[in-house]
Amino acid sequence: MNKKTALITGGASGIGKITAYKLAEKGYQLVINFRNSESEARTLATHLNKVYGINVITIQGDVADKDDCIRIINQSLSVFSTIDVLIHNAGPYIHERKKLTEYSLEEWNYLISGNLSAVFYLTKLIIPSMRNRKWGRIITMGFDRVETAPGWIHRSAFAAAKTGLASLTRTIAMEEAENGITANMVCPGDIVSEWKEKNISDSIHSSGEAAPVGRPGTGEDIARVVSFLIEDNSGFITGSIIPVTGGMDVLNKVNRVKID
């Protein structure tokens, strides 16, 4: 029986990296996509190959670029016979707080392309072969309450792209259900950078800011959900938007505006 292969965009660091570990534990062959983190990607690939004995390749590419998406898929399929799982973890984000009118046209287009159009580019290329095998898993990433199309102050482009992606994810799920392909969105809560590559055990006795459940969220919290959704027996779960927030009302926290 051939091993399944998963493509993780933005897989060299953060939540993508810890998700790679979870899938490696399951025996998946992996394609680790990165944009700038070549050293981190290669180190990760070498380590996963050594520890888990799986075949791992790294491919540079900016998912906001259509041609790069095509190249990523072509290079993946030149090594592996299939791409069975797509985890679209990469998501351009601008940390600077600014209103819609302050975004440049280039910034707006880049955020929309990287967070929304990229999923169209990639799934258009891999769904036909998934249909042939009558099996496939597509995972996208959102944010808390994305399915309600909420406003997110100072994050207009990112919020618009992810809201559109929520609808696209559900549409893919409906269109491809008959082909054994599922599509689901996982929505991380307020997981800060220092916790994105940590395990749940690291957070149990943390004295840092905690969610209502009593501890910070970690990358493992997200990776465990992704790992569950791609299992064979998870085929009944599709078109779902799953918040993993520890009970925190994330948008209510970030949308508070200080009035001078």
Side-chain angles (χ1 to χ4, degrees):
M1 182 178 178
N2 292 331
K3 289 185 176 180
K4 289 186 173 70
T5 302
L7 164 60
I8 306 175
T9 66
S13 62
I15 292 173
K17 177 179 178 179
I18 201 163
T19 300
Y21 273 95
K22 284 295 180 186
L23 270 60
E25 291 173 3
K26 288 178 172 284
Y28 270 83
Q29 302 177 124
L30 296 173
V31 179
I32 305 296
N33 157 252
F34 66 94
R35 186 181 62 168
N36 297 318
S37 305
E38 180 175 6
S39 175
E40 293 88 340
R42 294 191 182 281
T43 299
L44 174 62
T46 300
H47 182 69
L48 293 176
N49 175 262
K50 180 179 180 179
V51 173
Y52 298 101
I54 58 171
N55 194 359
V56 187
I57 65 171
T58 63
I59 300 178
Q60 189 281 333
D62 187 342
V63 295
D65 185 295
K66 173 178 62 68
D67 292 333
D68 274 15
C69 287
I70 294 171
R71 180 173 53 78
I72 290 166
I73 298 301
N74 288 340
Q75 286 187 223
S76 299
L77 293 177
S78 71
V79 177
F80 301 115
S81 59
T82 63
I83 298 175
D84 305 280
V85 174
L86 168 65
I87 300 169
H88 188 65
N89 171 72
Y93 185 84
I94 295 176
H95 290 276
E96 181 184 355
R97 294 168 59 86
K98 49 186 174 182
K99 295 182 178 181
L100 178 148
T101 54
E102 297 167 342
Y103 279 87
S104 69
L105 296 178
E106 292 75 18
E107 287 172 331
W108 177 272
N109 289 331
Y110 189 71
L111 290 177
I112 297 296
S113 293
N115 288 290
L116 176 58
S117 298
V119 175
F120 167 71
Y121 302 146
L122 294 169
T123 56
K124 179 176 174 61
L125 293 168
I126 65 175
I127 281 177
S129 63
M130 288 180 172
R131 287 174 181 164
N132 290 337
R133 297 188 304 280
K134 290 293 181 180
W135 199 94
R137 298 287 184 264
I138 297 166
I139 307 293
T140 60
M141 295 288 176
F143 62 86
D144 185 28
R145 289 191 278 126
V146 66
E147 72 276 17
T148 68
W152 189 350
I153 193 168
H154 301 130
R155 299 287 180 260
S156 56
F158 183 82
K162 290 296 188 182
T163 300
L165 182 57
S167 178
L168 178 61
T169 301
R170 283 180 160 166
T171 300
I172 293 171
M174 295 166 66
E175 291 181 348
E176 302 303 329
E178 63 182 1
N179 296 308
I181 302 168
T182 67
N184 294 286
M185 174 178 271
V186 178
C187 299
D190 190 17
I191 302 177
V192 298
S193 295
E194 65 184 282
W195 288 102
K196 287 182 178 179
E197 292 184 11
K198 292 189 177 183
N199 295 314
I200 294 169
S201 59
D202 298 322
S203 71
I204 299 300
H205 303 295
S206 171
S207 59
E209 183 178 354
V213 297
R215 65 171 178 84
T218 69
E220 186 186 11
D221 288 296
I222 308 306
R224 288 183 71 252
V225 177
V226 172
S227 178
F228 170 72
L229 289 172
I230 67 174
E231 291 179 356
D232 284 340
N233 289 337
S234 296
F236 196 74
I237 305 170
T238 192
S240 296
I241 296 176
I242 303 172
V244 187
T245 65
M248 180 179 290
D249 186 347
V250 179
L251 281 190
N252 185 53
K253 173 186 175 182
V254 301
N255 275 343
R256 292 175 186 150
V257 181
K258 183 178 179 180
I259 301 175
D260 295 326

